[in-house]
Amino acid sequence: MAKFWYLVCMITFLELSKLAISRPEQVPTPPLPVLPLPTFSQLKWQRRELIMFLHFGVNTFTDSERGTGKENPSIFNPVGLDTKQWVTVAAEAGISLMILTAKHHDGFCLWPSKYTHHSVISSPWRNGHGDVVQEFIDSVKTHGGGGIDAGLYLSPWDRHDKRYGHDLQYNEYYLAQLQELLTKYGSVKEIWFDGFKGKDAKNMSYYFSDWFAMVRELQSSINIFSDAGPDVRWVGNEKGFAGNTSWSTINSTLLSIGNASIGDYLNTGDPKGTNWLPAECDVSIREGWFWHKSQSPKKLSQLLDIYYNSVGRNCVMLLNVPPNSTGLISESDIHRLKEFRAAIDTIFSTNLAEKCIVKVSSQRGGKGGGFGPENVLDNDHVWTYWSPKENKNEHWIEIKVPNGEEGMKFNVVRIQEPIGLGQRIIKHEIYVDGKKVVQGTTVGYKRLHRLEKVLHCRAVRIIVKESKGLPLISSIGLHLDPYWKP
Ligand code: FUL
């Protein structure tokens, strides 16, 4: 009998210890991506949000927007040129990429290209020994504190060079200049191919495939911009406004460079697009792209409108700040840029949602599974996110003021998707204390909704009505914009 009880005890003990050493539950895995996805360089570009364009050249000295190509290089003499100042201004404005027009439509080269005399070597500036591109690149490296990168614009349309209009000769010339720019000056993060040419332009085919292949060969982490990408697309207008619906995806086969009729398609992108090709919103701080004594910067409220309609619509804002004929960024532009940066910081440095409780319709892997609502309030806007469970009918996330605490006041709602796993949300709605205030479409990297008035409330619910695959949200913000007067 004693033997029997001994056996019972042993078996019970073994069963219990099996329980104790049983393996922990499996860690839930991230959901599969929804293709297409950004490349590493596209993701880096998107996170820059605000970048700077610098239009500078012979037009700066002729009060013109479009040089004829007949300008005498002797007019180019920016006696006080200081590219360090440009970089300091950009850094203070929170800009991390600066794109300089190495050559505009007039054909004048800001670097001493060995393939033409129509450049700084024929100008009085630095006695013909100067190189604006080199000074610009050096300043970006030394004054950017490691946080600023350089990009270059090389106009395909060239009104000066005699080879323009002769396909083979001009394409060889253009490619030779590309090789100079992309081998002599170190790392270049964006190259801008402007598809524009005037109605009076000579007939000419550009060998884009050769150009793009050469760029890829010479620079490993560059993004190629043109109307049609291949890395960054034009937004379809020069007002800096993306579409209210704004997809980073598009069908490249429907695009061509220099074709004005595809503006609307470029503006909104395509939910069925098989290419990841996000839009860049180019716009000037002044009326013109080049500096003109008679022009002054846009008002702060205009810059903020552009910001909400570009960065706030899943795009990057490329703001042109043209150096003047002395070779400096003008004081009035510096002043406006400082105001602009201060406004963005004021609006977005406080997130009222941080003091709230966040509830969700469901969460992948259950509590503690790594995909909970706490992820929408951390500082990682790409790789930590809320994911609901598969096979649920409704997906929502709610931000609530804890009981006993005062309600919150805001007029901006920020929503972000972890685009590293694809852009997914097609339709969403926002309810404030049970009342619908936003009927929205796409979200993407960042969606900013400016509301009609400041709301004083206790609960904000975002409902995803339609998405490609599971909807994922990486960040939510409730902000107060004191500059917004609708
Ligand atoms: C346009 C050009 O014609 C303008 O001068 C400017 O460079 C702008 C960014 O692109 O196509």
Side-chain angles (χ1 to χ4, degrees):
M1 197 58 182
K3 226 175 184 181
F4 170 77
W5 281 116
Y6 173 75
L7 264 176
V8 170
C9 286
M10 273 310 280
I11 290 166
T12 319
F13 172 75
L14 282 175
E15 283 304 310
L16 282 175
S17 45
K18 241 201 253 165
L19 270 184
I21 57 164
S22 73
R23 283 196 209 116
E25 268 181 49
Q26 266 180 1
V27 175
T29 51
L32 284 179
V34 169
L35 301 183
L37 298 182
T39 62
F40 183 83
S41 300
Q42 286 172 321
L43 202 51
K44 182 158 187 201
W45 166 90
Q46 185 92 47
R47 295 166 93 166
R48 296 180 187 277
E49 300 194 357
L50 178 63
I51 60 180
M52 189 188 271
F53 222 166
L54 298 116
H55 276 69
F56 187 54
V58 282
N59 293 344
T60 312
F61 299 84
T62 56
D63 202 17
S64 156
E65 272 295 298
R66 191 180 299 168
T68 59
K70 300 199 170 72
E71 291 78 13
N72 190 329
S74 65
I75 60 172
F76 185 82
N77 197 14
V79 287
L81 184 117
D82 181 4
T83 51
K84 294 191 283 307
Q85 185 244 19
W86 304 357
V87 175
T88 306
V89 170
E92 283 174 7
I95 281 161
S96 67
L97 175 68
M98 301 171 74
I99 303 174
L100 174 66
T101 52
K103 174 181 93 167
H104 203 251
H105 308 327
D106 50 71
F108 180 80
C109 301
L110 292 183
W111 81 104
S113 169
K114 67 177 177 207
Y115 303 105
T116 181
H117 293 298
H118 198 56
S119 78
V120 279
I121 56 162
S122 309
S123 80
W125 178 66
R126 308 250 194 273
N127 294 320
H129 296 294
D131 182 342
V132 184
V133 175
Q134 186 71 62
E135 292 191 20
F136 165 67
I137 298 272
D138 288 348
S139 300
V140 162
K141 277 195 204 130
T142 54
H143 274 68
I148 301 196
D149 291 312
L152 294 171
Y153 167 116
L154 183 69
S155 171
W157 185 31
D158 187 322
R159 305 184 84 186
H160 174 81
D161 201 88
K162 296 281 171 294
R163 284 163 279 198
Y164 195 89
H166 303 279
D167 283 5
L168 180 63
Q169 288 95 318
Y170 183 74
N171 274 286
E172 284 182 353
Y173 172 60
Y174 189 87
L175 206 48
Q177 293 204 317
L178 255 187
Q179 289 174 55
E180 282 186 319
L181 290 174
L182 300 181
T183 52
K184 271 179 71 180
Y185 299 101
S187 175
V188 175
K189 296 293 184 200
E190 184 165 333
I191 180 92
W192 232 81
F193 292 106
D194 186 345
F196 179 81
K197 51 172 131 166
K199 292 207 176 69
D200 58 330
K202 289 183 201 147
N203 222 359
M204 168 89 227
S205 310
Y206 301 138
Y207 297 174
F208 285 117
S209 311
D210 299 56
W211 302 357
F212 295 170
M214 181 60 71
V215 172
R216 289 266 187 261
E217 181 183 3
L218 300 179
Q219 295 275 338
S220 61
S221 56
I222 199 166
N223 281 311
I224 301 178
F225 170 99
S226 84
D227 293 358
D231 301 316
V232 177
R233 73 175 197 259
W234 186 42
V235 76
N237 64 63
E238 290 181 344
K239 291 190 303 221
F241 282 22
N244 189 23
T245 293
S246 174
W247 289 96
S248 294
T249 51
I250 205 160
N251 240 323
S252 287
T253 51
L254 302 178
L255 304 179
S256 52
I257 304 176
N259 172 5
S261 69
I262 54 168
D264 290 346
Y265 188 57
L266 290 171
N267 200 235
T268 56
D270 186 345
K272 295 202 175 75
T274 48
N275 305 91
W276 187 272
L277 192 43
E280 189 169 270
C281 304
D282 57 323
V283 64
S284 187
I285 195 167
R286 293 156 168 247
E287 198 190 319
W289 292 101
F290 286 87
W291 176 82
H292 304 279
K293 201 169 190 239
S294 59
Q295 293 182 358
S296 42
K298 291 186 163 75
K299 288 192 266 175
L300 173 63
S301 60
Q302 288 174 291
L303 291 183
L304 285 171
D305 281 348
I306 297 168
Y307 181 85
Y308 279 103
N309 288 319
S310 55
V311 177
R313 287 181 172 178
N314 183 35
C315 292
V316 166
M317 175 171 169
L318 172 58
L319 181 62
N320 178 63
V321 186
N324 59 26
S325 53
T326 307
L328 295 171
I329 293 179
S330 304
E331 282 306 318
S332 56
D333 292 346
I334 297 178
H335 177 71
R336 191 50 42 81
L337 279 173
K338 280 191 176 149
E339 277 183 345
F340 184 42
R341 173 45 55 192
I344 295 172
D345 290 346
T346 303
I347 302 163
F348 295 103
S349 55
T350 306
N351 181 3
L352 298 163
E354 275 167 15
K355 292 198 180 119
C356 292
I357 300 160
V358 192
K359 286 189 174 167
V360 286
S361 48
S362 70
Q363 78 186 60
R364 186 180 178 86
K367 279 219 160 69
F371 300 100
E374 64 282 358
N375 292 334
V376 304
L377 295 180
D378 67 12
N379 287 327
D380 184 326
H381 298 171
V382 175
W383 296 115
T384 69
Y385 47 88
W386 162 61
S387 168
K389 281 189 174 148
E390 315 262 354
N391 307 323
K392 292 276 173 192
N393 292 333
E394 49 167 24
H395 300 300
W396 53 260
I397 181 160
E398 188 172 71
I399 318 280
K400 245 183 155 172
V401 175
N403 284 340
E405 282 184 30
E406 235 189 275
M408 45 192 176
K409 274 188 192 162
F410 63 92
N411 55 0
V412 175
V413 181
R414 174 175 54 82
I415 314 174
Q416 300 192 232
E417 282 187 78
I419 56 164
L421 290 168
Q423 187 180 349
R424 296 157 179 254
I425 297 175
I426 300 171
K427 274 189 196 150
H428 67 284
E429 292 174 350
I430 304 178
Y431 289 79
V432 171
D433 284 347
K435 193 172 157 246
K436 193 185 332 180
V437 295
V438 171
Q439 173 84 50
T441 56
T442 49
V443 172
Y445 174 70
K446 186 176 274 191
R447 180 75 206 218
L448 299 172
H449 290 291
R450 262 191 312 190
L451 308 177
E452 299 269 297
K453 57 178 186 208
V454 175
L455 297 177
H456 196 170
C457 76
R458 304 196 64 82
V460 177
R461 183 180 280 219
I462 298 166
I463 306 181
V464 180
K465 299 298 262 188
E466 204 183 328
S467 66
K468 291 168 50 178
L470 271 183
L472 310 174
I473 293 183
S474 58
S475 186
I476 292 181
L478 302 176
H479 306 279
L480 184 64
D481 178 345
Y483 309 88
W484 174 225
K485 310 269 178 286

